[in-house]
Amino acid sequence: MGGFNPPHRLLLGAGPSNIHQRVLQAMSSSIVGHLDPYFLEVMDETKKLISKAFKTQNKFSLPISGTGTAAMEASILNIVEEGDEVVVGVNGFFANRMEEMVRRWGGKTIPIKKRWGDIITKEEIENALKNSNAKIVALVQAETSTGALQPLKDIAKITRSNDAILLVDAVTSFTGVDLEIDRWGIDICFSSPQKCLNCPPGASPITVNERALTKIRNRRKPVSSLYFDFVLIERYWSERRMYHHTAPIINVYGLREALVIALEEGLEARIAKHLKNSNALVAGVEAAGFEMNTEKKYTLPTLNAVRIPKDVDDMRIRQIILDTFNTEIGAGLGELKNQVLRIGLMGINSSERNVIFALDAIERAFRIEGHPIKKGAATNAATEYFSAH
Ligand code: PLP
């Protein structure tokens, strides 16, 4: 079989992002037992770090063993009971997936369907709650498939005043975009570390407040999944330390280190960095004659979806960028297949250097493909933006 030597790429796609060197180092440390006193300390530290990064006092803040999809499914199967009506914003690939999960776990969905790239308004949520018996609302804050950033603050107020639970997917927003669990009033929120945290997938941060836990503890029937049962998971992650499953110890090391790095940088500084680099990228793509897939004020700084002309083959563009620049750019997904390029600027990958590099790579790939765009227009506009800010 010989040596194992995967290419070292710059990952500017929809995730994973590149891994932080310190995370890699943490993940090459010695494994200990999942009930070793050392690991119990790591668990407690990780819980505290997750709470801090989510800006919450919730005791139930921990990593779910599995990728973001596991955290999504765990959230849904715990909170949704057979026959429950659930309002779901359906405006992208991951929003659609949440809707499907709600159905698979016995819920009845009240979908709010929007164009992929639009957001769900507070009026739409208010109407859906008024005209149904729904007591759960599920939304994606950062829709990776469309590049849209869903505002949540006002919607959280509405769900709270209607005595409903707000469940949020923050996979591509966590530590890259403003997210206030306690202040806004989000009841359940999950993420995944391979985006803004620059950590491999496998241990997915989640936080659940007492309102949601009370509903879960008082379910008419226990959850059908043993692996994702929050009540059982809590027994292992609380002082009781009751065995449930073997935690992915090395992934927890990595997540812990990634959270330490994020909090050292500071959440506000990170949010500002992601916004500035995205704004520069948008200035660049617009100067080159492209449009974003979203209204400007809803553009997601961590994942920038750029619309491309119909006669451009996005797969060829991506292949040229991969072959020539050893760099990954995301393709359109689902309804947006062949319509957008998705440029991820997440965590350490959100940098001035990568903005200029990505714009230059795109310009060159378009030229090679016979779709010349004005030479240097994109990189000049981004450079000007950086000089002015
Ligand atoms: N939700 C969103 C918004 C995502 O972008 C993703 C993955 O990209 C997921 C959920 C699923 O996460 P994973 O692929 O880690 O299972």
Side-chain angles (χ1 to χ4, degrees):
M1 298 285 270
F4 182 60
N5 198 16
H8 187 76
R9 304 213 194 278
L10 176 61
L11 300 178
L12 300 181
S17 59
N18 288 96
I19 302 175
H20 197 291
Q21 200 55 36
R22 276 173 58 186
V23 172
L24 270 181
Q25 244 161 25
M27 296 186 76
S28 56
S29 308
S30 301
I31 195 163
V32 292
H34 64 102
L35 289 171
D36 187 290
Y38 185 82
F39 190 63
L40 300 184
E41 255 177 58
V42 171
M43 286 167 74
D44 287 346
E45 286 164 3
T46 307
K47 283 174 72 178
K48 280 194 195 126
L49 291 163
I50 291 174
S51 288
K52 258 199 187 153
F54 271 126
K55 295 195 183 169
T56 179
Q57 302 292 325
N58 292 343
K59 284 211 188 91
F60 193 111
S61 297
L62 47 84
I64 292 291
S65 305
T67 69
T69 308
M72 180 190 278
E73 190 138 43
S75 304
I76 288 170
L77 69 88
N78 275 276
I79 200 71
V80 176
E81 294 198 65
E82 191 79 34
D84 276 358
E85 290 183 16
V86 183
V87 174
V88 192
V90 180
N91 55 349
F93 180 89
F94 294 101
N96 286 19
R97 179 171 274 186
M98 284 219 284
E99 195 208 8
E100 176 165 358
M101 280 187 188
V102 168
R103 267 190 275 112
R104 285 186 182 220
W105 286 99
K108 184 170 172 287
T109 59
I110 315 283
I112 302 175
K113 293 204 167 134
K114 300 295 285 277
R115 182 192 79 88
W116 282 31
D118 289 345
I119 54 115
I120 312 294
T121 66
K122 60 180 195 291
E123 290 78 16
E124 287 163 342
I125 297 286
E126 200 158 29
N127 281 339
L129 286 172
K130 214 181 278 169
N131 296 316
S132 71
N133 295 313
K135 288 291 172 212
I136 304 168
V137 174
L139 292 172
V140 178
Q141 182 186 26
E143 182 45 86
T144 324
S145 66
T146 68
L149 174 62
Q150 172 66 51
L152 292 171
K153 197 171 162 188
D154 292 339
I155 287 176
K157 271 190 209 144
I158 288 164
T159 49
R160 198 49 77 86
S161 64
N162 281 273
D163 197 28
I165 294 285
L166 178 57
L167 187 163
V168 171
D169 172 333
V171 167
T172 302
S173 47
F174 186 48
T175 76
V177 165
D178 201 12
L179 176 62
E180 300 265 356
I181 298 301
D182 287 357
R183 233 193 292 152
W184 293 351
I186 296 168
D187 300 291
I188 303 177
C189 189
F190 60 87
S191 188
S192 200
Q194 76 271 22
K195 309 279 184 173
C196 297
L197 283 174
N198 306 118
C199 174
S204 299
I206 188 169
T207 190
V208 184
N209 67 13
E210 272 307 311
R211 283 180 86 226
L213 285 174
T214 304
K215 182 167 164 21
I216 291 166
R217 289 191 192 107
N218 295 320
R219 286 174 60 98
R220 295 185 290 278
K221 253 172 65 185
V223 293
S224 301
S225 163
L226 186 145
Y227 191 71
F228 289 126
D229 185 337
F230 283 170
V231 176
L232 300 181
I233 290 173
E234 196 183 24
R235 285 185 197 155
Y236 171 55
W237 279 87
S238 68
E239 301 75 48
R240 296 172 73 175
R241 314 292 189 190
M242 272 175 71
Y243 170 73
H244 177 251
H245 65 272
T246 309
I249 294 141
I250 299 291
N251 288 79
V252 177
Y253 287 176
L255 175 62
R256 181 197 167 280
E257 187 64 11
L259 288 162
V260 169
I261 295 165
L263 293 165
E264 275 172 6
E265 188 177 350
L267 293 175
E268 306 312 317
R270 280 172 78 87
I271 292 163
K273 173 186 84 174
H274 282 91
L275 184 61
K276 183 169 116 182
N277 290 328
S278 170
N279 283 344
L281 184 90
V282 173
V285 295
E286 288 183 346
F290 299 111
E291 281 179 2
M292 300 304 287
N293 185 47
T294 49
E295 249 185 84
K296 218 170 228 161
K297 61 181 168 183
Y298 303 126
T299 294
L300 176 60
T302 51
L303 191 285
N304 302 268
V306 181
R307 294 200 66 82
I308 51 169
K310 280 199 176 69
D311 58 341
V312 172
D313 181 347
D314 64 328
M315 289 303 170
R316 282 283 311 143
I317 298 288
R318 290 178 62 245
Q319 194 62 49
I320 292 167
I321 293 174
L322 193 71
D323 294 342
T324 315
F325 298 96
N326 203 20
T327 297
E328 182 185 83
I329 297 279
L333 186 62
E335 266 181 37
L336 291 176
K337 197 167 177 339
N338 302 127
Q339 294 182 38
V340 294
L341 289 176
R342 293 184 299 152
I343 306 163
L345 297 171
M346 303 176 190
I348 49 170
N349 287 3
S350 174
S351 66
E352 290 195 20
R353 189 179 70 160
N354 285 348
V355 168
I356 303 294
F357 183 78
L359 290 170
D360 186 49
I362 290 170
E363 181 191 310
R364 295 215 219 168
F366 269 70
R367 186 158 312 124
I368 292 169
E369 268 298 274
H371 301 281
I373 47 185
K374 208 171 143 212
K375 203 165 184 190
T379 48
N380 286 344
T383 307
E384 267 172 40
Y385 183 89
F386 283 130
S387 309
H389 293 83

